[in-house]
Amino acid sequence: MPKSISQKRPWLAALLAALATGLGHLYLRRLRRALGWIVVSFGVSAAFVDPAAIDALLAGNGTTETLLAVAPMLLVVGLSTVDAYLLAYTQQTRTPPSPSSETETTDCPHCGNELDPDLEFCHWCTRAVENADRESTPEDR
């Protein structure tokens, strides 16, 4: 059965990452990357941001000094947002590998799995497969 590629929306991943660090990566099902961004966010906040500046920002005192004090935290959130967007964009534009032209495969009309050309039935779902659905060669006739 062909492997399906999930089509995640890049703008939604970026929006979720901007709302909460790591949430966009969770949407993309990248748990380790989400946890990494959360750890980096908490680490930068603890090391470089004064808790009083965060309280002032949440209270609505968005002065220039307050914004400069929380700039490292905002930088991490911005980088996380860009990372989530680019990750979703590359997942969306990645094309599935096409089967080579040398090996023509036929899929079962009942279950969709690949058929064995030597068998008259699907070895996955055990249903009979008519010869009309398959390519016939002159040796088969």
Side-chain angles (χ1 to χ4, degrees):
M1 183 179 327
K3 184 177 180 182
S4 65
I5 293 180
S6 178
Q7 298 294 325
K8 300 291 185 178
R9 296 179 180 100
W11 62 268
L12 184 57
L15 178 68
L16 291 171
L19 290 176
T21 304
L23 193 57
H25 294 90
L26 287 177
Y27 167 70
L28 298 173
R29 295 184 181 171
R30 299 290 183 108
L31 182 62
R32 283 188 225 149
R33 207 169 210 167
L35 291 175
W37 278 111
I38 291 169
V39 167
V40 167
S41 178
F42 279 118
V44 166
S45 298
F48 299 110
V49 179
D50 183 26
I54 296 173
D55 292 338
L57 186 67
L58 292 175
N61 299 333
T63 63
T64 307
E65 292 176 6
T66 306
L67 290 176
L68 285 176
V70 296
M73 185 175 65
L74 296 176
L75 179 67
V76 169
V77 170
L79 291 174
S80 170
T81 302
V82 170
D83 182 51
Y85 178 83
L86 291 176
L87 188 63
Y89 182 77
T90 57
Q91 278 184 353
Q92 187 179 38
T93 57
R94 188 179 314 145
T95 57
S98 61
S100 64
S101 60
E102 296 175 6
T103 58
E104 292 293 326
T105 60
T106 308
D107 294 337
C108 175
H110 306 289
C111 68
N113 288 318
E114 186 177 332
L115 292 174
D116 186 355
D118 298 332
L119 300 177
E120 297 296 323
F121 64 94
C122 174
H123 65 280
W124 296 102
C125 67
T126 67
R127 288 186 170 176
V129 179
E130 293 82 27
N131 285 335
D133 293 339
R134 296 178 177 214
E135 296 180 37
S136 62
T137 60
E139 294 133 8
D140 292 338
R141 293 182 190 161

